[in-house]
Amino acid sequence: MEMTSMSLKRGCLAVEDNDRVAPQEETKKRKVADCCLTNSRDGLGDDSLHGSEEEPGPPGAESAEKDEKNSCAQVQDEEEEEDSLSETGEEEEPESFADMMKHGLTELDVGITKFVSPHEGFSGILKERYSDFVVHEIGKDGQISHLDDLSVPVDEEEPSEDALTVLTAEDRQQLEELQLFRNKETSVAIEVIEDTKEKRTIIHQAIKSLFPGLETKTEDREGRKHIVAYHAAGKKALAKVRAAADPRKHSWPKSRGSYCHFVLYKENKDTMDAINVLSKYLRVKPNIFSYMGTKDKRAITVQEIAVLKISAQRLAHLNKCLMNFKLGNFSYQKNPLKLGELQGNHFTVVLRNITGTNEQVQQAMQSLKETGFINYYGMQRFGTTAVPTYQVGRAILQNSWTEVMDLILKPRSGAEKGYLVKCREEWAKTKDPASALKKLPVKRCVEGQLLRGLSKYGMKNIVSAFGIIPRNNRLMYIHSYQSYVWNTMVSKRIEDYGLKPVPGDLVLKGATATYIEEEDVNNYSIHDVVMPLPGFDVIYPKHKISEAYREMLAADNLDIDNMRHTIRDYSLSGAYRKIIIRPQNVSWEVVAYDDPKIPLFNTDVDNLEGKPPPVFASEGRYRALKMDFSLPPSTYATMAIREVLKMDTSIKKQTQLNTNWLR
């Protein structure tokens, strides 16, 4: 098939991406702060910001039915309060969202200008409902993760279900206070009602399972049996309890692996939020959880999680409490999961209210299957306001620290929380970090962290003040600049040479980039060609695109031959990225429907509950395109959908389209 590049500027599409780019190192598992970088929750690929404030969890998710409901309600109330704050800030802005987004970025602003296929585009709406976007992780074994088994592995040494419900709320509170040395007592005695040896055993198991660090013994007191809990080794035991990697030695069987792996199904929550909720219920720190990749909020996602020495029984118990979560497919293994180990993600996407004819849809999807799409970094890599993240990255690389501070803190046009707007106004008026910080109810966002750093180190030491921000979040800015350069250069490469390999292009042999020579051109396809993200450890194509890289960086006062920074963290080694991606396992169908609120396919939970798949009429008021495809890690599903619809995926354009449609 002869491929020609096309540059089309059409209308727009209501889309958000769900596949985040795995960060180069794992950020500590922290609480997500909603005002981060003034981007939308889905705004930054994998580089979203995590705060570190830990909140107390409920008294225990393993309580009796009545207490269990109270515990569930307590955590859900906390979540609702957080959501309320994150969504509304202090007040609603009088300006409409559409007006605010007039100042946002478009694809053109970040170098996204080309398409690979000559087919005619059409319009459609993505994520009209979050359930229209479903992501299944593809594990390191190449298997697509599904939640299809809620059973708990049988383990002879596992505490029984009775052990998890035998303690009253008052018992648990006293034991927790004892465990954390919060009361003056040296022990807690629990009377055994209806005394039997089995009942005593269950209470012993329950205390040791739920309160590691406590030992138990049976005592006779006034002719009645009591289970007495006490500290085994004083303050040393407390240190173990507080340690993140506490092995829970008192209750963990030696015969099984230290990590419980499970499949997490979640709706409308991002991965870090989900882990924070789980850790609250389990009364553990979030950093005992591990995963292969983060998934965004506005979707249904299914992925594998591992947790250190928390039993499958305790995890399965959470299914009784949690809304919009389901845990299953439990197994015990020796090792945790590591970021980047996944092979990719499988997407099931519904585009509603499409305008294309069946023939147009067929052409578009056939092209996606056979040719693919340009592997651009998606819009969420660059932020949603008038100050793109790549501008901050460029200033860091230029060592322009006053500009870095100004770009992050200055007032800006665009959609922002009310309290953040007030913080920026205060900063512009006073240049007093302490005064501006008082305007922020959420201190864990980047703005809050930078202001805290400026208060601590002073305005003359911006480098140290900026260093208070977690490393991954700082690196996100310069990765955004690399992405901006890469997008722009790929568009130019396709503009100048089309969609076929040419001498001087780069291909990978293993992890090493080599040039395509004249005599080898016919041995390669466009799907083999890579282009570099700028850095000190990459080579550039041997044709005029090499000079284009040099000129683009020179225009930004950067030397392409010297990408090492005076601060080691900000030295860019570079990397290679394929310019065209061909999705795998592509399939699609066009369905008719009348009710925009009905789901158009079954989820894993629907299947577990035995719900029959939806039945479609031959005709309806609306038509939808249901598409399935798999992508490798670090690729953006929105860029695949962009190629199908030939539409700008930026929030600015989406908002304009939807506002006009509503009018």
Side-chain angles (χ1 to χ4, degrees), residues 26 29 135-147 259-266 271-272 274-275 278 288-295 301-307 315 326-345 604:
E26 182 167 7
K29 317 293 192 293
V135 188
H136 289 266
E137 191 170 70
I138 303 173
K140 50 190 172 184
D141 58 358
Q143 297 298 306
I144 296 174
S145 291
H146 280 281
L147 182 78
Y259 294 88
C260 184
H261 287 230
F262 62 95
V263 169
L264 172 66
Y265 167 103
K266 62 183 180 63
T271 301
M272 277 312 308
I275 282 174
L278 296 181
I288 68 169
F289 291 86
S290 57
Y291 47 85
M292 295 183 286
T294 56
K295 309 285 181 268
T301 69
V302 181
Q303 68 183 116
E304 189 175 353
I305 305 283
V307 60
L315 292 167
K326 214 74 170 173
L327 289 66
N329 296 80
F330 302 102
S331 65
Y332 293 109
Q333 298 184 32
K334 292 180 180 178
N335 299 310
L337 296 167
K338 293 180 181 175
L339 271 178
E341 284 184 330
L342 73 169
Q343 286 195 21
N345 293 292
D604 283 0

Side-chain angles (χ1 to χ4, degrees), residues 360-616:
Q360 285 175 315
V361 171
Q362 178 71 18
Q363 285 179 343
M365 292 305 298
Q366 203 63 42
S367 172
L368 183 69
K369 182 176 182 177
E370 294 173 2
T371 306
F373 62 97
I374 303 169
N375 193 19
Y376 287 124
Y377 288 96
M379 293 303 298
Q380 58 272 57
R381 188 78 162 176
F382 304 103
T384 58
T385 68
V387 180
T389 51
Y390 75 77
Q391 289 183 6
V392 181
R394 178 170 59 200
I396 294 169
L397 295 172
Q398 293 168 340
N399 254 325
S400 303
W401 290 100
T402 301
E403 186 182 357
V404 170
M405 177 180 69
D406 287 342
L407 285 169
I408 293 174
L409 295 177
K410 72 180 183 181
R412 62 191 54 188
S413 304
E416 285 206 308
K417 306 281 187 294
Y419 57 78
L420 207 45
V421 172
K422 290 181 178 178
C423 169
R424 295 188 191 288
E425 288 170 350
E426 183 68 20
W427 171 255
K429 186 169 67 178
T430 65
K431 287 291 189 281
D432 177 358
S435 178
L437 197 57
K438 288 177 183 174
K439 301 290 183 182
L440 281 181
V442 181
K443 304 288 193 287
R444 294 290 176 180
C445 58
V446 162
E447 292 82 1
Q449 289 165 328
L450 178 55
L451 288 168
R452 202 155 44 87
L454 291 168
S455 297
K456 181 176 182 180
Y457 294 105
M459 301 284 282
K460 292 185 178 177
N461 193 352
I462 300 170
V463 174
S464 296
F466 185 70
I468 276 190
I469 298 167
R471 181 174 183 269
N472 256 49
N473 305 332
R474 288 180 276 125
L475 295 184
M476 179 211 62
Y477 289 116
I478 54 177
H479 295 160
S480 176
Y481 178 74
Q482 285 180 301
S483 305
Y484 167 61
V485 172
W486 193 90
N487 280 359
T488 305
M489 291 298 98
V490 166
S491 292
K492 183 162 180 56
R493 157 66 181 75
I494 292 172
E495 175 79 33
D496 290 353
Y497 296 108
L499 290 163
K500 59 184 187 302
V502 296
D505 272 337
L506 293 168
V507 291
L508 288 179
K509 292 189 175 174
T512 306
T514 60
Y515 295 107
I516 297 180
E517 304 297 341
E518 184 84 50
E519 60 272 19
D520 295 328
V521 165
N522 293 332
N523 296 333
Y524 298 100
S525 79
I526 193 66
H527 298 98
D528 299 313
V529 175
V530 297
M531 282 182 57
L533 286 93
F536 60 76
D537 199 25
V538 294
I539 59 175
Y540 295 87
K542 269 189 186 172
H543 45 55
K544 60 185 178 182
I545 300 304
S546 179
E547 190 56 33
Y549 270 96
R550 184 175 297 277
E551 289 171 2
M552 184 173 181
L553 267 67
D556 287 337
N557 295 315
L558 297 172
D559 180 359
I560 200 168
D561 298 317
N562 183 20
M563 297 300 288
R564 293 186 187 273
H565 197 279
T566 51
I567 300 168
R568 187 177 176 186
D569 266 359
Y570 310 138
S571 291
L572 292 177
S573 60
Y576 299 101
R577 180 175 176 89
K578 286 195 170 183
I579 68 173
I580 303 290
I581 291 290
R582 187 162 42 197
Q584 301 299 304
N585 308 313
V586 179
S587 64
W588 66 93
E589 65 174 323
V590 175
V591 298
Y593 66 102
D594 289 314
D595 184 353
K597 295 179 181 178
I598 62 162
L600 299 183
F601 58 88
N602 271 9
T603 64
D604 283 0
V605 168
D606 291 334
N607 292 333
L608 274 170
E609 293 172 352
K611 186 177 176 182
V615 177
F616 303 108

Side-chain angles (χ1 to χ4, degrees), residues 165-233:
T165 57
V166 70
L167 300 173
T168 67
E170 184 181 357
D171 291 338
R172 285 196 312 279
Q173 185 175 349
Q174 289 180 348
L175 289 164
E176 187 162 359
E177 288 174 356
L178 174 69
Q179 182 191 40
L180 299 177
F181 290 90
R182 286 180 182 160
N183 61 17
K184 296 178 182 177
E185 303 297 327
T186 56
S187 64
V188 169
I190 297 170
E191 184 180 349
V192 183
I193 310 297
E194 301 171 9
D195 176 37
T196 63
K197 185 176 180 181
E198 290 75 18
K199 185 73 175 286
R200 294 198 299 271
T201 300
I202 288 169
I203 296 174
H204 283 295
Q205 282 184 336
I207 294 172
K208 290 179 180 180
S209 172
L210 301 180
F211 302 95
L214 297 184
E215 291 289 359
T216 58
K217 59 186 177 183
T218 304
E219 285 187 2
D220 268 313
R221 295 187 179 184
E222 298 176 357
R224 295 182 179 179
K225 293 280 195 227
H226 287 73
I227 306 299
V228 180
Y230 60 96
H231 275 290

Side-chain angles (χ1 to χ4, degrees), residues 218-283:
T218 304
E219 285 187 2
D220 268 313
R221 295 187 179 184
E222 298 176 357
R224 295 182 179 179
K225 293 280 195 227
H226 287 73
I227 306 299
V228 180
Y230 60 96
H231 275 290
K235 296 281 183 183
K236 288 182 181 177
L238 178 63
K240 284 184 180 179
V241 168
R242 285 180 172 164
D246 175 60
R248 301 179 174 263
K249 291 176 183 174
H250 300 276
S251 60
W252 198 259
K254 296 175 183 176
S255 59
R256 71 183 178 203
S258 295
Y259 294 88
C260 184
H261 287 230
F262 62 95
V263 169
L264 172 66
Y265 167 103
K266 62 183 180 63
E267 298 182 0
N268 211 27
K269 280 269 185 200
D270 72 19
T271 301
M272 277 312 308
D273 276 345
I275 282 174
N276 279 308
V277 170
L278 296 181
S279 60
K280 276 183 185 179
Y281 276 88
L282 295 167
R283 297 181 298 104

Side-chain angles (χ1 to χ4, degrees), residues 55-61 63 66-82 169 172-173 176 277 280-281 283 321-322:
E55 298 189 26
S63 54
K66 181 178 176 183
D67 301 318
E68 180 182 290
K69 288 176 183 173
N70 293 338
S71 141
C72 293
Q74 178 184 336
V75 178
Q76 283 163 2
D77 286 346
E78 289 174 17
E79 286 178 61
E80 284 166 14
E81 284 173 22
E82 289 165 14
R172 285 196 312 279
Q173 185 175 349
E176 187 162 359
V277 170
K280 276 183 185 179
Y281 276 88
R283 297 181 298 104
C321 284
L322 296 172

Side-chain angles (χ1 to χ4, degrees), residues 4-17:
T4 57
S5 71
M6 303 190 69
S7 185
L8 298 177
K9 296 180 180 66
R10 292 173 50 89
C12 182
L13 148 79
V15 293
E16 293 175 57
D17 202 8

